[in-house]
Amino acid sequence: MRRFSVLLILLLSVNSVFASPLKLNYSLFFGYMKTLKKLQYGHVTSAFYLRDKNTGSACLIKQADMVVDQKREPINFEKTGRLLPFYSDQHRKDGAMIEVDLLAGQANYQCDLQVTVMAKESELDSLSSQKLVLISEQLEGLLKKNAGMIGKYFLPDFSGVHLHLAAPLNSLQLNAIDKQILIAQNGDLLISKKLLASLDFTSLSQFNIVRVSPWLSK
């Protein structure tokens, strides 16, 4: 049930008090990556972000390392809070920790680990109606698999996909899209599973889509 509650709100608190370095158990990351590996989904991924739990602001990363005993190995990251650890069952068995040093000026931050599912960035350059359908199916499947046999029945409804835009659409662009597409309060686009099956994506190809994530509703 703990893992289900994580997926329900897509937020997992791992350390509510700032420390330098921030220490995270690698087995948590490994569990999500192992699930994705088993499913062999090619269009979606699990993503790990550090966010201040009070403001939602990114915890800016200076350095991130995998640590086993006294051995340290750097891992990939994006300075704006995303961790990109490598997959290693041996490191999990060895009790590896991920240690994160944050940039200066964040002493008051309370950094939590946000675990979310989304389309791979590589998929955004060649989006099509058919690919959006596959992304939708894989996002829903990954959420349910992570929730487990019982937890999946308590997940919010998977209504479709959430297209995050670099900037809200102007009036001309709004007039050009299918009227069945919903507009979120921040200007993003919400497309239902039913509409995806019949959507002509040519009307969306001109827009700068920076992320595709689940659209969940109660």
PDB file of all heavy atoms in Angstrom, residues 87-107:
ATOM      1  N   TYR A  87      21.221   1.356 -14.429  1.00  0.00           N
ATOM      2  CA  TYR A  87      20.556   0.144 -13.956  1.00  0.00           C
ATOM      3  C   TYR A  87      21.610  -0.890 -13.585  1.00  0.00           C
ATOM      4  O   TYR A  87      22.441  -1.264 -14.412  1.00  0.00           O
ATOM      5  CB  TYR A  87      19.638  -0.397 -15.049  1.00  0.00           C
ATOM      6  CG  TYR A  87      18.861  -1.644 -14.684  1.00  0.00           C
ATOM      7  CD1 TYR A  87      17.603  -1.552 -14.110  1.00  0.00           C
ATOM      8  CD2 TYR A  87      19.387  -2.913 -14.927  1.00  0.00           C
ATOM      9  CE1 TYR A  87      16.871  -2.687 -13.784  1.00  0.00           C
ATOM     10  CE2 TYR A  87      18.667  -4.058 -14.599  1.00  0.00           C
ATOM     11  CZ  TYR A  87      17.407  -3.929 -14.030  1.00  0.00           C
ATOM     12  OH  TYR A  87      16.706  -5.070 -13.704  1.00  0.00           O
ATOM     13  N   SER A  88      21.595  -1.375 -12.346  1.00  0.00           N
ATOM     14  CA  SER A  88      22.575  -2.374 -11.917  1.00  0.00           C
ATOM     15  C   SER A  88      22.024  -3.183 -10.762  1.00  0.00           C
ATOM     16  O   SER A  88      21.889  -2.671  -9.639  1.00  0.00           O
ATOM     17  CB  SER A  88      23.889  -1.699 -11.496  1.00  0.00           C
ATOM     18  OG  SER A  88      24.755  -2.634 -10.879  1.00  0.00           O
ATOM     19  N   ASP A  89      21.734  -4.462 -11.002  1.00  0.00           N
ATOM     20  CA  ASP A  89      21.251  -5.334  -9.945  1.00  0.00           C
ATOM     21  C   ASP A  89      22.343  -5.574  -8.906  1.00  0.00           C
ATOM     22  O   ASP A  89      22.049  -5.743  -7.720  1.00  0.00           O
ATOM     23  CB  ASP A  89      20.773  -6.659 -10.533  1.00  0.00           C
ATOM     24  CG  ASP A  89      19.982  -7.484  -9.523  1.00  0.00           C
ATOM     25  OD1 ASP A  89      19.257  -6.885  -8.707  1.00  0.00           O
ATOM     26  OD2 ASP A  89      20.100  -8.722  -9.540  1.00  0.00           O
ATOM     27  N   GLN A  90      23.588  -5.568  -9.340  1.00  0.00           N
ATOM     28  CA  GLN A  90      24.684  -5.787  -8.397  1.00  0.00           C
ATOM     29  C   GLN A  90      24.779  -4.636  -7.402  1.00  0.00           C
ATOM     30  O   GLN A  90      24.986  -4.854  -6.200  1.00  0.00           O
ATOM     31  CB  GLN A  90      26.016  -5.939  -9.148  1.00  0.00           C
ATOM     32  CG  GLN A  90      27.178  -6.346  -8.243  1.00  0.00           C
ATOM     33  CD  GLN A  90      26.909  -7.682  -7.548  1.00  0.00           C
ATOM     34  OE1 GLN A  90      26.611  -8.682  -8.195  1.00  0.00           O
ATOM     35  NE2 GLN A  90      27.023  -7.695  -6.216  1.00  0.00           N
ATOM     36  N   HIS A  91      24.623  -3.411  -7.881  1.00  0.00           N
ATOM     37  CA  HIS A  91      24.653  -2.266  -6.964  1.00  0.00           C
ATOM     38  C   HIS A  91      23.487  -2.345  -5.973  1.00  0.00           C
ATOM     39  O   HIS A  91      23.639  -1.987  -4.808  1.00  0.00           O
ATOM     40  CB  HIS A  91      24.601  -0.960  -7.749  1.00  0.00           C
ATOM     41  CG  HIS A  91      25.915  -0.565  -8.355  1.00  0.00           C
ATOM     42  ND1 HIS A  91      26.455  -1.215  -9.437  1.00  0.00           N
ATOM     43  CD2 HIS A  91      26.795   0.418  -8.021  1.00  0.00           C
ATOM     44  CE1 HIS A  91      27.618  -0.650  -9.752  1.00  0.00           C
ATOM     45  NE2 HIS A  91      27.843   0.340  -8.908  1.00  0.00           N
ATOM     46  N   ARG A  92      22.330  -2.811  -6.444  1.00  0.00           N
ATOM     47  CA  ARG A  92      21.203  -2.972  -5.526  1.00  0.00           C
ATOM     48  C   ARG A  92      21.539  -3.989  -4.446  1.00  0.00           C
ATOM     49  O   ARG A  92      21.294  -3.761  -3.253  1.00  0.00           O
ATOM     50  CB  ARG A  92      19.957  -3.421  -6.297  1.00  0.00           C
ATOM     51  CG  ARG A  92      18.729  -3.653  -5.408  1.00  0.00           C
ATOM     52  CD  ARG A  92      17.648  -4.417  -6.143  1.00  0.00           C
ATOM     53  NE  ARG A  92      18.060  -5.766  -6.528  1.00  0.00           N
ATOM     54  CZ  ARG A  92      18.042  -6.815  -5.721  1.00  0.00           C
ATOM     55  NH1 ARG A  92      17.651  -6.678  -4.447  1.00  0.00           N
ATOM     56  NH2 ARG A  92      18.424  -7.998  -6.145  1.00  0.00           N
ATOM     57  N   LYS A  93      22.108  -5.135  -4.848  1.00  0.00           N
ATOM     58  CA  LYS A  93      22.460  -6.176  -3.894  1.00  0.00           C
ATOM     59  C   LYS A  93      23.514  -5.689  -2.914  1.00  0.00           C
ATOM     60  O   LYS A  93      23.531  -6.112  -1.746  1.00  0.00           O
ATOM     61  CB  LYS A  93      22.975  -7.412  -4.637  1.00  0.00           C
ATOM     62  CG  LYS A  93      21.905  -8.128  -5.452  1.00  0.00           C
ATOM     63  CD  LYS A  93      22.499  -9.288  -6.225  1.00  0.00           C
ATOM     64  CE  LYS A  93      21.446 -10.013  -7.058  1.00  0.00           C
ATOM     65  NZ  LYS A  93      22.048 -11.117  -7.859  1.00  0.00           N
ATOM     66  N   ASP A  94      24.391  -4.801  -3.367  1.00  0.00           N
ATOM     67  CA  ASP A  94      25.465  -4.281  -2.511  1.00  0.00           C
ATOM     68  C   ASP A  94      25.002  -3.152  -1.598  1.00  0.00           C
ATOM     69  O   ASP A  94      25.797  -2.603  -0.832  1.00  0.00           O
ATOM     70  CB  ASP A  94      26.631  -3.786  -3.370  1.00  0.00           C
ATOM     71  CG  ASP A  94      27.358  -4.927  -4.073  1.00  0.00           C
ATOM     72  OD1 ASP A  94      27.207  -6.088  -3.637  1.00  0.00           O
ATOM     73  OD2 ASP A  94      28.073  -4.664  -5.064  1.00  0.00           O
ATOM     74  N   GLY A  95      23.724  -2.783  -1.681  1.00  0.00           N
ATOM     75  CA  GLY A  95      23.198  -1.733  -0.805  1.00  0.00           C
ATOM     76  C   GLY A  95      23.634  -0.337  -1.183  1.00  0.00           C
ATOM     77  O   GLY A  95      23.872   0.508  -0.298  1.00  0.00           O
ATOM     78  N   ALA A  96      23.743  -0.073  -2.476  1.00  0.00           N
ATOM     79  CA  ALA A  96      24.223   1.233  -2.934  1.00  0.00           C
ATOM     80  C   ALA A  96      23.300   2.371  -2.500  1.00  0.00           C
ATOM     81  O   ALA A  96      22.087   2.202  -2.366  1.00  0.00           O
ATOM     82  CB  ALA A  96      24.357   1.229  -4.459  1.00  0.00           C
ATOM     83  N   MET A  97      23.907   3.526  -2.284  1.00  0.00           N
ATOM     84  CA  MET A  97      23.188   4.758  -2.008  1.00  0.00           C
ATOM     85  C   MET A  97      23.517   5.767  -3.120  1.00  0.00           C
ATOM     86  O   MET A  97      24.573   5.705  -3.735  1.00  0.00           O
ATOM     87  CB  MET A  97      23.606   5.348  -0.661  1.00  0.00           C
ATOM     88  CG  MET A  97      23.341   4.448   0.530  1.00  0.00           C
ATOM     89  SD  MET A  97      21.574   4.225   0.883  1.00  0.00           S
ATOM     90  CE  MET A  97      21.151   5.878   1.454  1.00  0.00           C
ATOM     91  N   ILE A  98      22.580   6.655  -3.373  1.00  0.00           N
ATOM     92  CA  ILE A  98      22.845   7.775  -4.275  1.00  0.00           C
ATOM     93  C   ILE A  98      23.001   9.021  -3.411  1.00  0.00           C
ATOM     94  O   ILE A  98      22.109   9.373  -2.638  1.00  0.00           O
ATOM     95  CB  ILE A  98      21.708   7.960  -5.297  1.00  0.00           C
ATOM     96  CG1 ILE A  98      21.695   6.782  -6.272  1.00  0.00           C
ATOM     97  CG2 ILE A  98      21.868   9.273  -6.053  1.00  0.00           C
ATOM     98  CD1 ILE A  98      20.600   6.848  -7.316  1.00  0.00           C
ATOM     99  N   GLU A  99      24.163   9.649  -3.536  1.00  0.00           N
ATOM    100  CA  GLU A  99      24.437  10.867  -2.781  1.00  0.00           C
ATOM    101  C   GLU A  99      24.398  12.065  -3.727  1.00  0.00           C
ATOM    102  O   GLU A  99      25.027  12.044  -4.784  1.00  0.00           O
ATOM    103  CB  GLU A  99      25.784  10.776  -2.075  1.00  0.00           C
ATOM    104  CG  GLU A  99      25.815   9.715  -0.985  1.00  0.00           C
ATOM    105  CD  GLU A  99      27.067   9.774  -0.128  1.00  0.00           C
ATOM    106  OE1 GLU A  99      27.909  10.682  -0.364  1.00  0.00           O
ATOM    107  OE2 GLU A  99      27.211   8.930   0.765  1.00  0.00           O
ATOM    108  N   VAL A 100      23.647  13.080  -3.331  1.00  0.00           N
ATOM    109  CA  VAL A 100      23.426  14.248  -4.186  1.00  0.00           C
ATOM    110  C   VAL A 100      23.890  15.496  -3.461  1.00  0.00           C
ATOM    111  O   VAL A 100      23.453  15.784  -2.333  1.00  0.00           O
ATOM    112  CB  VAL A 100      21.936  14.396  -4.552  1.00  0.00           C
ATOM    113  CG1 VAL A 100      21.734  15.582  -5.493  1.00  0.00           C
ATOM    114  CG2 VAL A 100      21.407  13.111  -5.182  1.00  0.00           C
ATOM    115  N   ASP A 101      24.778  16.249  -4.093  1.00  0.00           N
ATOM    116  CA  ASP A 101      25.174  17.567  -3.610  1.00  0.00           C
ATOM    117  C   ASP A 101      24.378  18.612  -4.378  1.00  0.00           C
ATOM    118  O   ASP A 101      24.339  18.588  -5.618  1.00  0.00           O
ATOM    119  CB  ASP A 101      26.676  17.807  -3.818  1.00  0.00           C
ATOM    120  CG  ASP A 101      27.527  16.991  -2.861  1.00  0.00           C
ATOM    121  OD1 ASP A 101      27.291  17.092  -1.642  1.00  0.00           O
ATOM    122  OD2 ASP A 101      28.412  16.260  -3.327  1.00  0.00           O
ATOM    123  N   LEU A 102      23.741  19.510  -3.656  1.00  0.00           N
ATOM    124  CA  LEU A 102      22.956  20.559  -4.272  1.00  0.00           C
ATOM    125  C   LEU A 102      23.780  21.834  -4.423  1.00  0.00           C
ATOM    126  O   LEU A 102      24.753  22.058  -3.695  1.00  0.00           O
ATOM    127  CB  LEU A 102      21.713  20.851  -3.432  1.00  0.00           C
ATOM    128  CG  LEU A 102      20.769  19.672  -3.181  1.00  0.00           C
ATOM    129  CD1 LEU A 102      19.585  20.134  -2.341  1.00  0.00           C
ATOM    130  CD2 LEU A 102      20.288  19.059  -4.485  1.00  0.00           C
ATOM    131  N   LEU A 103      23.401  22.659  -5.375  1.00  0.00           N
ATOM    132  CA  LEU A 103      24.056  23.946  -5.549  1.00  0.00           C
ATOM    133  C   LEU A 103      23.805  24.826  -4.330  1.00  0.00           C
ATOM    134  O   LEU A 103      22.827  24.658  -3.600  1.00  0.00           O
ATOM    135  CB  LEU A 103      23.533  24.631  -6.811  1.00  0.00           C
ATOM    136  CG  LEU A 103      23.924  23.971  -8.144  1.00  0.00           C
ATOM    137  CD1 LEU A 103      23.225  24.657  -9.306  1.00  0.00           C
ATOM    138  CD2 LEU A 103      25.433  23.998  -8.339  1.00  0.00           C
ATOM    139  N   ALA A 104      24.691  25.776  -4.105  1.00  0.00           N
ATOM    140  CA  ALA A 104      24.587  26.663  -2.955  1.00  0.00           C
ATOM    141  C   ALA A 104      23.294  27.474  -3.009  1.00  0.00           C
ATOM    142  O   ALA A 104      22.718  27.695  -4.070  1.00  0.00           O
ATOM    143  CB  ALA A 104      25.794  27.601  -2.917  1.00  0.00           C
ATOM    144  N   GLY A 105      22.833  27.910  -1.829  1.00  0.00           N
ATOM    145  CA  GLY A 105      21.653  28.752  -1.754  1.00  0.00           C
ATOM    146  C   GLY A 105      20.361  28.004  -1.539  1.00  0.00           C
ATOM    147  O   GLY A 105      19.278  28.593  -1.651  1.00  0.00           O
ATOM    148  N   GLN A 106      20.443  26.709  -1.211  1.00  0.00           N
ATOM    149  CA  GLN A 106      19.238  25.902  -1.028  1.00  0.00           C
ATOM    150  C   GLN A 106      19.162  25.293   0.373  1.00  0.00           C
ATOM    151  O   GLN A 106      18.528  24.259   0.572  1.00  0.00           O
ATOM    152  CB  GLN A 106      19.187  24.798  -2.081  1.00  0.00           C
ATOM    153  CG  GLN A 106      19.199  25.315  -3.514  1.00  0.00           C
ATOM    154  CD  GLN A 106      19.212  24.188  -4.535  1.00  0.00           C
ATOM    155  OE1 GLN A 106      18.178  23.661  -4.915  1.00  0.00           O
ATOM    156  NE2 GLN A 106      20.413  23.818  -4.971  1.00  0.00           N
ATOM    157  N   ALA A 107      19.765  25.962   1.326  1.00  0.00           N
ATOM    158  CA  ALA A 107      19.839  25.425   2.687  1.00  0.00           C
ATOM    159  C   ALA A 107      18.460  25.258   3.321  1.00  0.00           C
ATOM    160  O   ALA A 107      18.279  24.414   4.199  1.00  0.00           O
ATOM    161  CB  ALA A 107      20.705  26.345   3.556  1.00  0.00           C
TER     162      ALA A 107
END
